[in-house]
Amino acid sequence: MNLENRLKELREQHKYTQDDVAGFLNISRQSVSKWELGKGYPDIDNLRRLSDLYKISLDQLITGKEKYNTQVASHSNESDHKTVGDFLWRHWWLVFPVFGMLSTWFYYYY
């Protein structure tokens, strides 16, 4: 299936008119019509907005199928959980100001 057919099919699946899509993209209805007739193609900004409107990835919008497995995306969420060791490894330089503050505190209070 080519892009113009996919654009029309997605619009009809979501029960949008060409005016609705044009209003969402801030373009003319004639532009949407040209895309669906294959007389022109949306630029990358409009493709991105269309993927947001239809809640699909750009790959799925352009090719009709998902190129990458969603499991890869969920794996990146696991890396958000950091341990104390990871924090200390990345911010080892914080030892010096903390040590300075503690030594000053001990010097004045003991």
Side-chain angles (χ1 to χ4, degrees), residues 5-108:
N5 293 336
R6 198 166 10 273
L7 289 173
K8 185 173 182 177
E9 181 182 303
L10 285 167
R11 180 178 59 79
E12 290 172 347
Q13 282 177 358
H14 287 83
K15 296 181 175 57
Y16 292 138
T17 65
Q18 288 182 345
D19 285 325
D20 294 335
V21 174
F24 181 79
L25 299 175
N26 294 321
I27 58 172
S28 68
R29 184 200 56 78
Q30 288 81 6
S31 296
V32 176
S33 176
K34 285 180 185 178
W35 298 343
E36 290 181 359
L37 292 173
K39 295 181 179 178
Y41 295 99
D43 62 9
I44 190 68
D45 289 329
N46 285 325
L47 285 171
R48 184 183 52 79
R49 289 183 191 130
L50 285 166
S51 72
D52 290 343
L53 176 66
Y54 299 132
K55 295 178 180 27
I56 58 174
S57 69
L58 278 173
D59 278 338
Q60 198 170 1
L61 177 65
I62 295 169
T63 64
K65 54 188 166 193
E66 193 68 34
K67 186 172 183 175
Y68 298 105
N69 189 349
T70 56
Q71 192 175 29
V72 173
S74 66
H75 180 66
S76 65
N77 291 340
E78 292 175 9
S79 65
D80 292 341
H81 302 290
K82 305 292 183 203
T83 64
V84 173
D86 291 336
F87 176 80
L88 292 176
W89 183 255
R90 287 194 176 98
H91 303 292
W92 60 268
W93 53 270
L94 287 174
V95 169
F96 296 110
V98 169
F99 181 72
M101 287 186 289
L102 286 174
S103 63
T104 303
W105 184 78
F106 278 113
Y107 178 77
Y108 285 113

